[in-house]
Amino acid sequence: MDIHLLNALGITNCALFKCNSEDDITCLTPELPWLLNVVSLDENNKLQKKHVPSIFLDDFFFDADEVWKGETSFTLSSGFWTEQNENQLLRLEALAINSGSGSRYLVVKNVEEQFDEKQQTLQAARELLLSHHEIVGQHEYIRHRLNNVLRKNTRLQKLVPPIQQAIHNLETGVVILDNEGALILDNKASHRLLLCNSTTPSSIRIMELIKDIDAPSTFLPALVQRKAPWQGEIYWQPVDDYKVWLQVTIHPVLHGEELTHWVYLFTDITHIHNKEESVLTASGMDSLTKVANRNLFTDTVRRLVQEDTPFKLFIIDICDFKKINEALSYQSGDEILKSFALRLQAFVGNSGFIARIGSNEFALVKRIDTFKDVSSSEYVKQLVSKLTKTYTVLNGSEPNLGINIGEASFPQDCSSAETLLQCTDVALQAAKYQGRNISLVYSEELHSQHNAIYELESELRRAIANNELKLFLQPIVDLSTGKIVKCEALTRWITPEGKFISPEVFIPLAEKSELIFPFGEWLINEACAAIEALKASNLDIRLAINISGRQVSDLALLNQIKNALEDHQLFGSNLSIELTESVFIESLETVSILLNELRAMGITVSIDDFGTGFSSLVYLKKLPIDELKIDRSFVSELEKNTDDQAIVQAILGLANNLNIKIIAEGIETPQQQQFLQNHQCAYGQGYLYQRPVAIDEFISLARKLK
């Protein structure tokens, strides 16, 4: 539809310019009455860029020219600005448009209505936030006053009447219980909010509330132990026709080390919750954490870039947040996100801008000139320390979070908001590959490394999808007879171009990305197919596969193993699972459940690379483990290294006492084999017997040895 008709109908109120070149910008809508307050036009309606009345628009042309010079489709907004003259106040926004197909436009919009609407939204958001902060402040004030009174007068003797009078008239619901949970005092507001009656007093309602929100039995004792109150928002529906959002404070009062009272404070915040999500979102705020959302963050970054203000951008990712939600519940996950945002805001204060830009990602924008007494690296170190301290949630859990941080600077690293975001994300992704609580600063070298990793990751994804990976087998032999008793499945990757990529490269890459899950599923199915091939050749040999720590924590792993065995009509006794020691450090409880399930299916369990990691007697005693594999680093110098000899002897003695079989990895010489035999090592694996070979070649070798 024609822009003139849209303007005439009142649907829009904007000026349109076509840019034929930098100095040839023609106005297509010169009839707008307010336009000459903003631009200067000649007799041919061409824009006079050297005589633009609006200082703001004149400044915008510097960025607009860059947009118009490019070849890609892009639209740049100036944001709202105000023009004031003697007769009129204008609210305006400019857009520089590159269609990507040779057309360039400038649009200047009169946004009076949108501006007023946004201001109203912002005001509503401010009022909601102020209301909520006021409620929290009231709780804190009442809590402190009651805490002081109750600590000084543990029996409430002389001060009972004035305390009762004060509490009675409060709009905040107040309930005071003794250390046994018996009612001492409450007020009308608590009766109303908790639906109390003659048969159900406030003390009973409080216990019902705590039960209804699934707080564990350890929740209240934990508050006493920490000598700290709990404060939060609770949604409660005790009966069908009563639903309420409550701001709740639970405060244990202690006299020295002794618990004397419980103070419960309640305020109805349902009206805030009913309005705040839509209002906060419209005003650029995240409704859960009450910090800026992604849209407001993006606008802020673009504005700073337009103003040519040097600043640093940090993107902060909470590690494995999906696992936290699954382990603790999504309600607890939300609690942690709110606490995380509060900590971040408290740390940054007024010296930076923070936003929640993803489900578990936050951004921090900090001007260079605010780094006064601390370097950027030291600032990040302090930030990591602050954000990774223990969190406390309603269900009594106290998780420790891991985070990763990517950092980039404007204009040092990038010249636009979009490229700055990309650079920061590159640094963040690289940090994720290196582990937890890692912070990396963007550099060209880091970018090159990231591109190489990303390219290799894409190739590995294709290789898994196209079945380009191959399974090789290496025998495990009885050292006394030389008979093959088992084999280990090892993955080899040779690209269609004939390039060999080492497992030491692609296995860690898969583990640090999501590819470990499709790779693990491929490995389980290929292993079962290999067992079928062995059985078809009358070879009754158990086959071992390696499972990574990330697979162990995936609830789908057990089903994948069960389904693969069923699909290939195999028994669990045909399969062995190898885990590295590092798995037990983070997931001992999860691993225990998994191993018991596997053992129930007849699958044996081995600990790979024993002696190089955790090496704790705890899991050897508590977990159902069948075998230990002595790491090759202890075997390679057995002939001459007395330290390695002592370590191997100690492992063999320990395993024999616990009735655990030992497999020595990396045997390459008859002398190494002899030492191991002399000290009662049952099984061995290494180049002395056979390198890993393709399945057909392994079957041929095994037949000969049989």
Side-chain angles (χ1 to χ4, degrees):
M1 187 177 287
D2 192 293
I3 189 68
H4 300 274
L5 182 55
L6 292 175
N7 282 337
L9 291 172
I11 297 172
T12 66
N13 191 4
C14 63
L16 178 64
F17 299 79
K18 184 165 186 181
C19 310
N20 301 309
S21 69
E22 185 176 342
D23 296 318
D24 184 4
I25 302 175
T26 303
C27 180
L28 306 180
T29 56
E31 70 281 356
L32 289 171
W34 50 266
L35 184 58
L36 294 181
N37 293 318
V38 184
V39 300
S40 293
L41 304 176
D42 66 12
E43 63 277 6
N44 297 315
N45 293 326
K46 294 187 182 296
L47 179 70
Q48 303 296 294
K49 286 181 67 177
K50 294 182 180 179
H51 305 287
V52 175
S54 169
I55 297 174
F56 192 98
L57 185 60
D58 186 47
D59 184 59
F60 179 67
F61 278 127
F62 287 103
D63 296 311
D65 287 338
E66 294 300 316
V67 173
W68 293 328
K69 287 176 185 175
E71 298 299 324
T72 57
S73 176
F74 190 76
T75 298
L76 176 69
S77 169
S78 66
F80 292 174
W81 88 90
T82 302
E83 293 289 343
Q84 175 77 58
N85 61 25
E86 294 180 1
N87 304 317
Q88 197 173 14
L89 181 69
L90 296 173
R91 310 289 190 184
L92 303 168
E93 179 188 16
L95 301 172
I97 301 171
N98 185 335
S99 69
S101 58
S103 298
R104 312 287 190 267
Y105 296 96
L106 169 70
V107 177
V108 180
K109 299 165 63 178
N110 189 322
V111 291
E112 186 75 34
E113 291 183 6
Q114 295 95 317
F115 183 86
D116 289 343
E117 182 180 332
K118 186 169 185 178
Q119 289 301 105
Q120 291 170 7
T121 302
L122 287 169
Q123 181 60 29
R126 280 193 289 269
E127 289 172 357
L128 281 173
L129 290 174
L130 285 172
S131 296
H132 190 262
H133 290 160
E134 184 179 349
I135 289 167
V136 173
Q138 287 171 353
H139 277 221
E140 282 297 288
Y141 175 77
I142 296 169
R143 182 178 71 81
H144 281 293
R145 291 297 299 271
L146 287 176
N147 185 60
N148 292 335
V149 170
L150 292 169
R151 288 179 64 188
K152 292 175 183 176
N153 304 273
T154 56
R155 296 185 181 178
L156 294 177
Q157 291 170 341
K158 296 181 180 179
L159 293 180
V160 167
I163 290 175
Q164 283 183 324
Q165 189 63 35
I167 291 175
H168 183 77
N169 294 318
L170 282 174
E171 286 296 317
T172 301
V174 178
V175 179
I176 302 175
L177 308 179
D178 67 14
N179 59 347
E180 299 294 331
L183 180 63
I184 301 292
L185 285 174
D186 59 8
N187 66 354
K188 288 191 303 182
S190 67
H191 291 184
R192 174 173 50 82
L193 294 173
L194 298 175
L195 290 185
C196 298
N197 53 45
S198 57
T199 59
T200 314
S202 55
S203 56
I204 299 297
R205 281 297 194 200
I206 284 173
M207 295 305 108
E208 291 177 354
L209 171 63
I210 291 176
K211 181 182 177 181
D212 288 348
I213 59 175
D214 295 325
S217 58
T218 57
F219 172 57
L220 294 177
L223 297 183
V224 176
Q225 185 179 1
R226 292 194 304 271
K227 300 180 181 179
W230 179 86
Q231 189 174 83
E233 300 170 14
I234 291 175
Y235 178 74
W236 191 39
Q237 187 175 1
V239 294
D240 290 341
D241 57 350
Y242 182 70
K243 306 173 185 178
V244 65
W245 275 97
L246 294 172
Q247 179 72 34
V248 180
T249 297
I250 304 174
H251 176 58
V253 180
L254 288 92
H255 189 71
E257 297 295 320
E258 182 184 356
L259 175 70
T260 62
H261 299 89
W262 287 100
V263 173
Y264 291 84
L265 305 177
F266 306 94
T267 302
D268 185 349
I269 56 170
T270 307
H271 65 291
I272 294 177
H273 263 274
N274 289 343
K275 294 180 181 178
E276 73 175 353
E277 185 162 353
S278 59
V279 170
L280 290 176
T281 302
S283 64
M285 306 299 287
D286 176 56
S287 59
L288 177 66
T289 61
K290 311 299 190 297
V291 299
N293 63 17
R294 188 177 185 91
N295 289 337
L296 185 54
F297 157 75
T298 304
D299 290 344
T300 301
V301 170
R302 285 175 175 165
R303 177 176 55 77
L304 289 171
V305 169
Q306 289 173 9
E307 294 171 355
D308 202 25
T309 302
F311 67 96
K312 286 184 177 290
L313 173 60
F314 305 88
I315 296 181
I316 306 162
D317 177 87
I318 303 175
C319 302
D320 298 323
F321 197 73
K322 180 183 176 185
K323 291 182 184 177
I324 293 173
N325 277 334
E326 290 174 349
L328 302 181
S329 81
Y330 285 88
Q331 181 183 359
S332 296
D334 286 349
E335 279 190 73
I336 291 171
L337 287 173
K338 288 189 278 190
S339 297
F340 188 91
L342 284 171
R343 283 195 196 181
L344 181 57
Q345 185 68 74
F347 179 85
V348 174
N350 294 323
S351 67
F353 170 86
I354 68 168
R356 183 184 178 208
I357 59 173
S359 61
N360 59 309
E361 275 191 0
F362 290 77
L364 164 58
V365 177
K366 187 170 173 65
R367 292 165 57 122
I368 299 295
D369 58 14
T370 62
F371 289 95
K372 295 178 181 177
D373 302 320
V374 64
S375 66
S376 176
S377 59
E378 183 60 31
Y379 182 82
V380 170
K381 185 178 178 181
Q382 295 172 9
L383 178 62
V384 172
S385 176
K386 175 80 172 179
L387 295 177
T388 55
K389 287 180 180 175
T390 303
Y391 289 74
T392 301
V393 293
L394 185 60
N395 71 1
S397 301
E398 295 187 344
N400 289 297
L401 301 187
I403 63 172
N404 291 115
I405 301 177
E407 174 187 340
S409 301
F410 172 83
Q412 177 182 328
D413 297 322
C414 311
S415 59
S416 71
E418 285 69 24
T419 54
L420 180 66
L421 290 169
Q422 292 169 6
C423 291
T424 315
D425 190 60
V426 165
L428 175 63
Q429 298 309 317
K432 287 182 180 181
Y433 273 107
Q434 292 192 18
R436 294 163 68 91
N437 299 332
I438 302 296
S439 175
L440 291 180
V441 181
Y442 174 82
S443 66
E444 288 294 336
E445 181 182 1
L446 190 69
H447 201 160
S448 299
Q449 292 172 359
H450 176 74
N451 285 343
I453 291 172
Y454 181 77
E455 186 174 337
L456 186 62
E457 188 179 311
S458 299
E459 289 180 23
L460 179 57
R461 182 176 285 104
R462 287 194 296 271
I464 295 170
N466 298 334
N467 203 28
E468 294 173 10
L469 304 177
K470 301 300 178 188
L471 216 58
F472 278 40
L473 304 182
Q474 186 176 29
I476 296 171
V477 303
D478 185 317
L479 293 182
S480 59
T481 65
K483 179 183 176 181
I484 297 176
V485 294
K486 189 177 177 180
C487 63
E488 181 179 0
L490 301 164
T491 308
R492 295 294 180 260
W493 182 13
I494 301 174
T495 68
E497 298 75 31
K499 179 183 176 183
F500 173 79
I501 299 176
S502 169
E504 294 182 0
V505 173
F506 73 82
I507 296 296
L509 177 67
E511 287 182 333
K512 290 172 181 176
S513 68
E514 296 303 309
L515 291 178
I516 193 62
F517 302 113
F519 170 75
E521 189 170 6
W522 171 87
L523 177 61
I524 291 166
N525 282 294
E526 285 296 305
C528 288
I531 294 171
E532 275 192 314
L534 293 172
K535 284 185 168 297
S537 300
N538 293 318
L539 295 171
D540 187 17
I541 299 173
R542 193 186 292 263
L543 185 144
I545 59 173
N546 285 276
I547 298 296
S548 82
R550 291 194 67 191
Q551 287 175 277
V552 166
S553 63
D554 181 29
L555 301 177
L557 173 65
L558 200 60
N559 287 331
Q560 289 173 0
I561 294 173
K562 287 179 179 178
N563 293 338
L565 290 172
E566 288 176 6
D567 290 345
H568 293 270
Q569 298 182 337
L570 299 172
F571 295 108
S573 56
N574 299 128
L575 191 63
S576 181
I577 298 295
E578 295 185 0
L579 302 170
T580 58
E581 291 179 279
S582 60
V583 172
F584 302 106
I585 297 174
E586 295 183 5
S587 313
L588 190 58
E589 291 183 8
T590 305
V591 172
S592 178
I593 295 170
L594 173 70
L595 297 192
N596 281 299
E597 290 277 357
L598 293 174
R599 285 287 296 274
M601 295 165 59
I603 298 171
T604 59
V605 178
S606 302
I607 305 303
D608 200 12
D609 302 334
F610 185 79
T612 61
F614 196 28
S615 301
S616 170
L617 297 180
V618 172
Y619 66 77
L620 292 182
K621 291 171 64 178
K622 290 187 175 181
L623 297 179
I625 295 168
D626 300 291
E627 300 166 339
L628 297 179
K629 300 186 76 174
I630 301 177
D631 186 68
R632 66 183 66 249
S633 62
F634 300 119
V635 176
S636 61
E637 297 184 3
L638 265 182
E639 302 101 316
K640 54 186 178 181
N641 190 315
T642 56
D643 289 340
D644 285 347
Q645 291 173 6
I647 291 171
V648 169
Q649 288 181 65
I651 294 173
L652 288 167
L654 174 66
N656 286 331
N657 289 332
L658 294 172
N659 198 29
I660 297 175
K661 296 175 183 177
I662 289 287
I663 301 170
E665 296 182 286
I667 302 174
E668 297 184 0
T669 67
Q671 292 82 7
Q672 292 167 358
Q673 175 182 274
Q674 191 61 53
F675 179 91
L676 292 162
Q677 277 185 272
N678 292 343
H679 292 88
Q680 287 76 52
C681 180
Y683 306 116
Q685 177 181 358
Y687 288 176
L688 180 63
Y689 314 108
Q690 180 65 56
R691 291 174 177 268
V693 294
I695 295 173
D696 291 343
E697 188 176 344
F698 177 85
I699 290 173
S700 177
L701 169 71
R703 278 175 169 169
K704 291 176 184 177
L705 291 177
K706 184 178 178 183

